Structure formats: structure tokens, C-alpha cells
């Protein structure tokens, strides 16, 4: 059964042309079904260079490109986001924080709709701060929670507060967990992910320019988060889950932890170690895609 993208916007049908401004793409200038109609998997992450590295990695894994092949940035007409494609996989950067990924997702979901894509799986791969986990552990998100540990995304629209669910696809999370067991290269858990509006005070750090609480209060808050099921903290998962839910898209969040926040605030691992950590979500999701395509 084909599941197509569901757009919750009746106004789009009245538009002669839809310009995806931050992608430098438009229905009047680009043939979306030809360019993107075969896409089945979309991987998104904060850094443009990381998403370019992912497309090169998955191309090699699937045997779709020659070693050292360069992949052009489809969004080269803008410096807001970067987009790369190989076969049925699209790799897109989303920047940092809820506002940035929200803008990207509005245009990405419309792109997939205009391309008439079906049975899409979108996975966010990224980095995070862990709670009670060894650095380098990978967290598959069960549900995204806000800074008060509620599984919801809250947004003010036309002056009114709108609350949307942030649950993620349970079956997809289980499939990703099984893939991690099969590759057996790093610790992986399923847990809740806390999504905050800020990297410093919002995440209880002691090392920002402003901090009006003490270490004891910080640790008490993080332990309360752990007891509620939170295993990592980042800044995009809530709106990602909410928008994918509303659009009927199967979605997952897979993030590596760069440190254990119960033991400190600053990332002190060496560059080489961090590079290896950041490759872990890519390896897991890459294996999942290979398995889904029957190439394992």
C-alpha cells in the first residue's frame, strides 16, 4: 500500500507556483517528480559537511557511486541548507535548533509532496548530550519531550498556543535497534530525548555566559530527567516528530552522545574520537537502509 505525503494546507492548491525559497527550488523551475520521485529514505542532520559525508558513505555502501565521487549540492543556489541525493536516498542539512529545522521541514515535506513520493522514511541523525550513558552511546528516540519532560511540542500560532504530539514510530525504532544488535559495534539504547530551546541554560550547563543556578540544582534536574526516561538532550527532535506526525511520515531520531552530562558540561574528547562517534548514527542508519533495500 502506498502512503503519500499528507499536506495540512488547503491554500497550496490555489497557488500557481510553489517556491521553496530556502532550498532555491520551485515547482515552476524544477521538475520535482523527475528529480525526487524515486526517494524513499530522507536523512537529515545539522551540519552540511556531515550530510555530504553521509551521502558519500551510503553511496559506497549501496554500490551507487565510485570511490571519491563528488556529489553536487542540489541547494547550491542558497547558503541556508545543503541537499544531496544518490539513488532513493536524500540527505539534507537542517542547521541548529527548532526554528532552523522547522523551516527546512516545511519545504522538505512540500518537496516530497510535489515529487509524488510515497512510503517515505525520514531519520534525523545527529549528536547529543547523554544522561547516564557512556560517551559514544547511540540513542534511538522513543518520544521527544520538552524541558519539563512532557511529550509535546508547543507553538504559538495566531496568538494561540498549539500543542502537538512528539511520539515517534515505535516499529521503526525497534527495527533500528535490531540493526544495531546485528552490526554490534557500539552501545545503543531506546529512550526519550529531551529537546530544548538552548544549548546552555536550557540544558542546565554551568559554562555559559549566564548561569544563575548551582551544580547541585543542575544535577538534581538532570537526575529527574533520567528518572523520567530521558537518555539524551538535543535541540531539534520535538518539532521534527510533531511535523512528521501531522504529515503522516514515518520518522525516527538517532543521535550519538558526545558526553555524559552527569559528569560534566564541556566536550573534551579528541577530534578523532568525536569524528568516530559522529559516524555511528551514519553506520546504523546506513545498515538499516541497506537491509530495507535487501542489500545485507
Amino acid at each position: 500500500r502506498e502512503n503519500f505525503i499528507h499536506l495540512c494546507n488547503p491554500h497550496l492548491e490555489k497557488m500557481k507556483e510553489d517556491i521553496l525559497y530556502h532550498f532555491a527550488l520551485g515547482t515552476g523551475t524544477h521538475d520535482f517528480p523527475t528529480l525526487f520521485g524515486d526517494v524513499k529514505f530522507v536523512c537529515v542532520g545539522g551540519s552540511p559537511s556531515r550530510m555530504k559525508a553521509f551521502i558519500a558513505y551510503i553511496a559506497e555502501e549501496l554500490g551507487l557511486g565510485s570511490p571519491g565521487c563528488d556529489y553536487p549540492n542540489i541547494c547550491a543556489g542558497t547558503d541556508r541548507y545543503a541537499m544531496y541525493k544518490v539513488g532513493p536516498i536524500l540527505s539534507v542539512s537542517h542547521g541548529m535548533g527548532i526554528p532552523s529545522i522547522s523551516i527546512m521541514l516545511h519545504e522538505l515535506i512540500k518537496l516530497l509532496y510535489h515529487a509524488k513520493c510515497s512510503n517515505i522514511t525520514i531519520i534525523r541523525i545527529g549528536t547529543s548530550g547523554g544522561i547516564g550513558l557512556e560517551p559514544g552511546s547511540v540513542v534511538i528516540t522513543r518520544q521527544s519531550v520538552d524541558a519539563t519532560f512532557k511529550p509535546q511540542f508547543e507553538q504559538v500560532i495566531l496568538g494561540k498556543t498549539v500543542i502537538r504530539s512528539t511520539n515517534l514510530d515505535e516499529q521503526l525504532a525497534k527495527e533500528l535497534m535490531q540493526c544495531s544488535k546485528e552490526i554490534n559495534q557500539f552501545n545503543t539504547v531506546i529512550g526519550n530525548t529531551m529537546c530544548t530551546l538552548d544549548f546552555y541554560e536550557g540544558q542546565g550547563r554551568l559554562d555559559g555566559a549566564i548561569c544563575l543556578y548551582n551544580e547541585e540544582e543542575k544535577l538534581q534536574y538532570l537526575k529527574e530527567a533520567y528518572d523520567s526516561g530521558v537518555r539524551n538532550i538535543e535541540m531539534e527532535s520535538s518539532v521534527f516528530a510533531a511535523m512528521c506526525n501531522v504529515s503522516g511520515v514515518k520518522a525516527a531520531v538517532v543521535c550519538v552522545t558526545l558526553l555524559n552530562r552527569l559528569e560534566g558540561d564541556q566536550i573534551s574528547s579528541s577530534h578523532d574520537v568525536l569524528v568516530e562517534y559522529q559516524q555511528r548514527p551514519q553506520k546504523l542508519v546506513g545498515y538499516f537502509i541497506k537491509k530495507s533495500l535487501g542489500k545485507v
Side-chain angles (χ1 to χ4, degrees), residues 194-211:
M194 183 163 71
C195 183
T196 66
L197 303 177
D198 166 55
F199 184 81
Y200 287 98
E201 291 179 284
Q203 296 187 10
R205 278 183 161 84
L206 301 173
D207 59 342
I210 300 168
C211 180

Side-chain angles (χ1 to χ4, degrees), residues 15-43:
M15 293 167 50
K16 184 178 180 181
E17 178 183 5
D18 190 3
I19 299 171
L20 309 185
Y21 174 74
H22 301 90
F23 283 166
L25 299 171
T27 55
T29 53
H30 297 78
D31 185 341
F32 282 53
T34 298
L35 290 171
F36 305 107
D38 62 338
V39 169
K40 296 297 179 185
F41 301 94
V42 183
C43 293

Side-chain angles (χ1 to χ4, degrees), residues 58-69:
I58 197 65
E60 186 172 349
E61 287 290 297
L62 296 175
L64 295 175
S66 55
C69 178

Side-chain angles (χ1 to χ4, degrees), residues 138-172:
V138 172
V139 179
I140 301 167
T141 304
R142 176 182 290 111
Q143 58 183 191
S144 176
V145 301
D146 64 17
T148 65
F149 319 139
K150 295 177 182 176
Q152 63 184 38
F153 172 65
E154 185 176 306
Q155 184 175 10
V156 176
I157 302 173
L158 300 183
K160 298 178 182 178
T161 299
V162 176
I163 294 176
R164 290 173 177 159
S165 167
T166 53
N167 290 331
L168 287 151
D169 192 278
E170 184 178 355
Q171 182 59 36
L172 178 56

Side-chain angles (χ1 to χ4, degrees), residues 1-284:
R1 190 168 65 92
E2 288 192 301
N3 292 318
F4 292 93
I5 301 293
H6 174 61
L7 284 190
C8 291
N9 185 357
H11 305 289
L12 291 175
E13 297 178 7
K14 305 171 186 176
M15 293 167 50
K16 184 178 180 181
E17 178 183 5
D18 190 3
I19 299 171
L20 309 185
Y21 174 74
H22 301 90
F23 283 166
L25 299 171
T27 55
T29 53
H30 297 78
D31 185 341
F32 282 53
T34 298
L35 290 171
F36 305 107
D38 62 338
V39 169
K40 296 297 179 185
F41 301 94
V42 183
C43 293
V44 303
S47 161
S49 61
R50 198 182 303 152
M51 300 322 293
K52 185 172 184 178
F54 175 76
I55 209 69
Y57 170 77
I58 197 65
E60 186 172 349
E61 287 290 297
L62 296 175
L64 295 175
S66 55
C69 178
D70 188 41
Y71 298 91
N73 177 10
I74 297 170
C75 298
T78 176
D79 61 358
R80 294 295 183 186
Y81 304 106
M83 180 186 296
Y84 306 94
K85 183 181 183 297
V86 64
I89 298 109
L90 199 62
S91 178
V92 191
S93 71
H94 58 59
M96 187 180 294
I98 287 173
S100 184
I101 192 174
S102 171
I103 294 166
M104 187 282 289
L105 285 171
H106 273 283
E107 299 189 12
L108 174 64
I109 291 167
K110 291 198 296 176
L111 180 152
L112 298 171
Y113 173 81
H114 292 312
K116 297 179 170 57
C117 294
S118 63
N119 302 334
I120 293 289
T121 298
I122 303 181
I123 303 177
R124 165 167 144 68
I125 55 176
T127 59
S128 63
I131 302 182
L133 297 174
E134 288 188 7
S137 298
V138 172
V139 179
I140 301 167
T141 304
R142 176 182 290 111
Q143 58 183 191
S144 176
V145 301
D146 64 17
T148 65
F149 319 139
K150 295 177 182 176
Q152 63 184 38
F153 172 65
E154 185 176 306
Q155 184 175 10
V156 176
I157 302 173
L158 300 183
K160 298 178 182 178
T161 299
V162 176
I163 294 176
R164 290 173 177 159
S165 167
T166 53
N167 290 331
L168 287 151
D169 192 278
E170 184 178 355
Q171 182 59 36
L172 178 56
K174 289 179 180 178
E175 291 174 14
L176 286 162
M177 188 67 194
Q178 178 59 34
C179 286
S180 183
K181 291 177 181 177
E182 291 174 16
I183 60 179
N184 194 29
Q185 294 182 15
F186 39 78
N187 180 46
T188 303
V189 301
I190 294 178
N192 291 349
T193 296
M194 183 163 71
C195 183
T196 66
L197 303 177
D198 166 55
F199 184 81
Y200 287 98
E201 291 179 284
Q203 296 187 10
R205 278 183 161 84
L206 301 173
D207 59 342
I210 300 168
C211 180
L212 303 177
Y213 45 85
N214 60 39
E215 185 171 10
E216 183 180 349
E217 291 170 321
K218 164 209 157 176
L219 288 174
Q220 180 180 349
Y221 175 68
L222 293 181
K223 287 174 182 175
E224 287 175 2
Y226 183 89
D227 290 342
S228 75
V230 172
R231 294 296 175 267
N232 64 334
I233 312 173
E234 46 84 272
M235 297 186 291
E236 293 87 19
S237 60
S238 62
V239 71
F240 173 81
M243 291 182 68
C244 288
N245 280 337
V246 172
S247 303
V249 181
K250 187 163 63 172
V253 176
V254 179
C255 290
V256 68
T257 61
L258 301 183
L259 76 167
N260 180 0
R261 288 293 318 288
L262 295 176
E263 297 179 354
D265 294 331
Q266 297 210 328
I267 299 168
S268 57
S269 298
S270 70
H271 173 74
D272 290 344
V273 168
L274 292 176
V275 168
E276 194 278 321
Y277 284 173
Q278 290 173 20
Q279 291 171 348
R280 293 181 179 185
Q282 296 185 17
K283 289 179 180 178
L284 174 51

